[in-house]
Amino acid sequence: GTYTILAQIAADGLGLPMERVTVRLNDSSLPAAPVEGGSWTAASSGTAVDMACASLRDRLHRAAKGLPGSPLAGTDLEQVVFRDGHIVLARDPSRRMALRDATIAGGAALVAAEAKASPGVLTQMRYSAYTHMAVFVEARVDEELGIVRIPRVVAAVAAGRILNPKTARSQIIGGVTWGIGMALHEESMPDHRLGRFMNHSFAEYHVPVSADVGEIEVIFVDERDDKASPIGVKGLGEIGIVGTAAAVANAIRHACGVRVRSLPITVEKVLAGL
């Protein structure tokens, strides 16, 4: 997902097709980056890529308009757009120059730019920026056997600017699936005498499989937030799981009247309540 969205941001920022963008990650020779976690990768790394592209646009435009007889001579950066691998004068698209020619005009085989992105201290003091989700669960309870099935989950998410709806949807589906596992399946069994977990394999630690997960519908609520990050992005890493287990418990309560307050909600706990 990170490779995809960073390529999208760079391609959009420089007016290039995505196949002409190469994203490199996880190499100690590269600039320092935040950890892949905390729901902040898209906002932080994405902002840095966007800022680096802005710097590159400025350098390439200055090189292009400085060439003798340049079609962009006398223009300002605000007057041009980067589109289809060219720098184009917005009011007269016939006046354009290929990015390759602008790079050569800079007098070097490579035009590079670096950018550093970090949260503004005053903005953090004045505003809170969180992703929000409302999750709705349909639960079916067998009142004789105590078995719970979850045929449908609907998750409505407000997460600022969604860079890639396909990968973002997959991220939420994964989180909701985790939430179902948290609610109904997953439980660590410690031995308090030995201080060890006794069910430390997937043969004994149950996670939801396809038969346990029904339809999951993801709705992204349109939200523009220029305080969360300069590119309007918020995190999606954890939000899918946060409310799902509670919604499952509430749905079970609504279905059969049993309120279970410890997870996972097992057959034994449901039968005891019934």
Side-chain angles (χ1 to χ4, degrees), residues 222-243:
D222 184 45
E223 182 186 39
R224 289 171 173 80
D225 191 333
D226 60 352
K227 303 295 188 297
S229 66
I231 57 176
V233 170
K234 296 181 180 180
L236 277 175
E238 284 82 14
I239 191 63
I241 192 175
V242 171

Side-chain angles (χ1 to χ4, degrees), residues 27-211:
D27 191 315
S28 57
S29 66
L30 300 174
V35 299
E36 186 81 26
S39 291
W40 58 19
T41 306
S44 56
S45 297
T47 297
V49 170
D50 187 64
M51 293 169 62
C53 288
S55 179
L56 274 176
R57 289 197 300 270
D58 180 60
R59 295 185 185 190
L60 290 168
H61 174 254
R62 282 192 282 111
K65 73 176 185 178
L67 274 176
S70 170
L72 301 174
T75 63
D76 295 326
L77 183 61
E78 293 74 20
Q79 297 174 309
V80 301
V81 293
F82 285 67
R83 184 171 61 211
D84 300 326
H86 290 74
I87 308 173
V88 183
L89 185 63
R91 67 172 183 268
D92 183 2
S94 65
R95 294 174 60 182
R96 59 173 55 207
M97 181 180 293
L99 291 183
R100 181 184 291 106
D101 296 334
T103 301
I104 296 172
L110 175 70
V111 178
E114 291 188 11
K116 180 179 180 180
S118 59
V121 176
L122 289 178
T123 300
Q124 285 188 309
M125 292 173 63
R126 293 173 180 170
Y127 303 97
S128 295
Y130 297 102
T131 300
H132 301 278
M133 183 177 83
V135 56
F136 306 88
V137 169
E138 178 183 338
R140 298 177 183 176
V141 182
D142 187 313
E143 293 186 283
E144 292 184 354
L145 302 178
I147 296 173
V148 178
R149 295 283 185 244
I150 306 297
R152 185 174 181 232
V153 179
V154 177
V157 187
R161 178 186 177 193
I162 302 299
L163 295 171
N164 188 306
K166 188 172 186 177
T167 58
R169 177 179 177 272
S170 295
Q171 186 88 328
I172 297 300
I173 288 175
V176 169
T177 302
W178 272 1
I180 293 171
M182 179 183 179
L184 300 178
H185 303 279
E186 300 184 47
E187 184 176 18
S188 297
M189 297 290 189
D191 186 317
H192 296 288
R193 299 169 301 168
L194 302 177
R196 295 182 59 191
F197 288 106
M198 305 310 293
N199 58 334
H200 46 69
S201 76
F202 286 124
E204 299 161 317
Y205 183 91
H206 296 167
V207 297
V209 297
S210 296

